Amino acid sequence: MQRLFILIVLAIIHISVFAQAQSVLAVPSGVHDNQTVWLQCGQIYSGELKLIEARDVTIQTAGSCGKATLTPAVPVEGWQRDPYQPQIWNAPLASEPLQVRLDDEFITLAHYPNTIATWLKGQRKSPRHLRAHLPNEDLGGATIVWRAADWLIQSRLITRYASGVLTLAEGDDDGFGLLPETSFYLEGKRWMLDSPGEWAWHNGVLSIWPRDGKTPQGRLWASTGARAIDARGSQRVTIIGVRVVGAKIGIDGSGSRDLAVRDTDIINSAEDALLIGSDARVSGIVVNGSQQHGVRADDDAHTISISDSRFTGVGMLGMPRRSKGVLVFESARDLVIERNQISDAAYLGIRVFRDAHVTNNIIKRACLRLADCGGIYTFARDRKKLNTVIDGNRIIDLAGRSTYGIYLDDFANGVLVQNNHIENSGGGIELHNGFDNHIVANRFIGNRHEHMLFNETAPFASISSNRIYGNQFSGSPQVPVYRLWSRHGSTTVRRFAEFSGNQYHNPPQPFAEVEGLGMLDFATWRVQIVDELKTSGNDSSRTPKLKR
C-alpha cells in the first residue's frame, strides 16, 4: 500500500511538471451565463469544460494557428522499461484509464485473442456462466465481449474463472444474453499485453507496448471517463472551431436546447462523439473515430439539423463493441440531415424516425462489423405514418449479406424514397413488414444478392400498398431484381406493391424469387406480378395494375 501511495504521488508530480513543460492548460472554470470563452489557437486544454445548465455561452478558438484542443486526458510520465519484458514500458497511474493515446495513435486495450477476425467459442451453462477453455485463469475483473445477435455486441465483467467456466457479473442484457454457443473475446488483463500497440493497467501501473519500441515519455496521454464539454441541460450554447480529443463523450448536450456546434473536430470518443437535445444545429463538424456512436439525440428531442459534416470510423476504434450507428435518432422527430459524408462505419449510417428529411448524403463502407444493417434506416413499430423523405442519397459498398442501402424496418410506412443511388451493397432496399411507401426513381447498380427485398414476418399480412415505379436496375445476370417473401404463403405477396415504369438493364434470368412461386424469369414475373415492360431498348407506355 505504501508503495502504491508513493507511485501515485510521483505520477501527480510528473503530470504537473509535464503539463508546465508542454504548456498544457486547465480548461476554463467558472464560466457564467452570457459569456464568450476564447480559447487560444494551437493550445491544449486538459480537463472537463463545465457548461451544465449554462445560458447563452459561446466557446470559440481565437487566432489562426489551429484549433484549440479540449481533452479530459492527462499526460503520463515516469516511464521505465519492464525488467522482464523490455518491449513493454511501465509508469505509475492512480486510476484505470478509459483510453490511451501515444502521439496521435489510439492504443487498444490488451485483449485475447489478438486478431479482430478471431473470436473464441463458449457454451452457455446459465445466463451468467459460460464454459470455455482458456490459457490463463487470471480473469477476475476482465471483461467479456460477445456477439448476442447479428446486430448486437454485449459486454460484462467477469467475476471468476474456475474449472473451465466463466462467471459473469450481474447485468441487464435486455433479453439478448449469452447464446447456446457464444462467440466472444476477452480484454483488460496484464497477461493479454502481448502485441505492439496495446496497453493494460494493473494495481496503479499503466503498461504499454509501443510500436516503435521507444519510451512513451512526453508522448502518452491517458483519458478517464470524463466528457470534454459537459453542456447538459444548457440553453443557447454555441461551440465554434475547437478540437475535442479522447473523451468518453466528446460534447454532452443531452437535455439541452438550441445547442449549435460548428466547424469542430471530435476525435476518438469512447462512447458518443456528440449528444444533443431539441433545436440543435450541427454543421461543418468532423467526427473521426469512436468506439461506439457518432451523434445521438434525446428520445424526446425535436427540430434538429445535421449538415455538411464528415464522419469516419464510427464504431471502428479498437476492438468490436456495441454500436447503434453514426447518426442515431431513435425517437427524435423533425429532422433535417443533409449533405453529410459517412465512411467506414461499424453499423448503421443514418437512423431516423418520424418527420425526417434525409437528403443528399454520401454513405460509403458502412455495416463493417455488425449485420442486419442499413445505410439509411427507419422503422415504425407503432405503425403510425412516418412522414419521412429519403431523397438524393448515394450509398455504396456496404459490407455483408444482410445489409441494405435503405432499410425500411418494422412496419415502416409513409416514407418517400426517391432519387437515391444504391450500389455494390448486400441489397438495395428492404421493406420489412412495411406498407404505404413510395419508392421512386432510384438507381440500383451491382448489388450482390437482390436489389429489393420484401420481407413479411409479422403474424398477420402486413406488407401492402407500396408503389415501386420509375426505378432503374442494373446488375449481375445471376442476381434477382426482387425477392418477395412471406410467412403467409403466396397469397399475400400479390398485395405487396404496385410495380410500374421501372427500367431493367439486361433483366437477369432469375428475375424475381416469389414466395410459393419460386424463381421467376422476367416474362413469368410480368404474368404473375404485373410490371410495366420497360427494359433498355424496349419501352412501353402501358401502366398496368397489380393483379390480385
Side-chain angles (χ1 to χ4, degrees), residues 207-380:
S207 301
I208 183 173
W209 185 338
R211 295 185 191 279
D212 59 10
K214 298 178 181 178
T215 176
Q217 194 84 0
R219 305 164 55 200
L220 188 137
W221 292 67
S223 299
T224 66
R227 305 159 177 86
I229 300 176
D230 188 351
R232 289 175 294 170
S234 64
Q235 293 186 28
R236 298 176 300 279
V237 164
T238 300
I239 299 167
I240 305 173
V242 302
R243 185 172 182 261
V244 173
V245 178
K248 180 178 182 180
I249 299 173
I251 301 171
D252 189 346
S254 53
S256 66
R257 295 292 299 267
D258 293 299
L259 175 68
V261 184
R262 302 198 302 270
D263 187 28
T264 288
D265 302 343
I266 307 176
I267 312 299
N268 291 0
S269 304
E271 290 186 3
D272 303 274
L274 175 59
L275 295 177
I276 55 179
S278 294
D279 302 302
R281 301 173 307 284
V282 178
S283 64
I285 73 167
V286 173
V287 172
N288 190 349
S290 84
Q291 291 181 272
Q292 292 191 273
H293 319 116
V295 179
R296 289 199 298 151
D298 297 336
D299 284 347
D300 60 352
H302 60 83
T303 319
I304 294 169
S305 69
I306 312 287
S307 64
D308 302 301
S309 297
R310 290 188 289 116
F311 303 86
T312 303
V314 171
M316 298 296 293
L317 200 60
M319 291 289 285
R321 313 290 295 192
R322 181 175 187 175
S323 175
K324 293 187 176 183
V326 179
L327 303 180
V328 183
F329 304 102
E330 295 178 274
S331 300
R333 56 186 174 82
D334 193 9
L335 310 170
V336 175
I337 301 175
E338 58 186 355
R339 301 185 303 277
N340 301 289
Q341 297 182 38
I342 293 171
S343 61
D344 300 304
Y347 193 42
L348 303 171
I350 300 172
R351 176 173 182 160
V352 295
F353 187 48
R354 189 159 279 122
D355 301 316
H357 283 71
V358 183
T359 59
N360 300 313
N361 302 281
I362 298 173
I363 301 171
K364 296 181 180 180
R365 298 181 303 278
C367 309
L368 295 179
R369 288 184 169 175
L370 294 163
D372 193 16
C373 177
I376 299 173
Y377 175 96
T378 189
F379 70 108

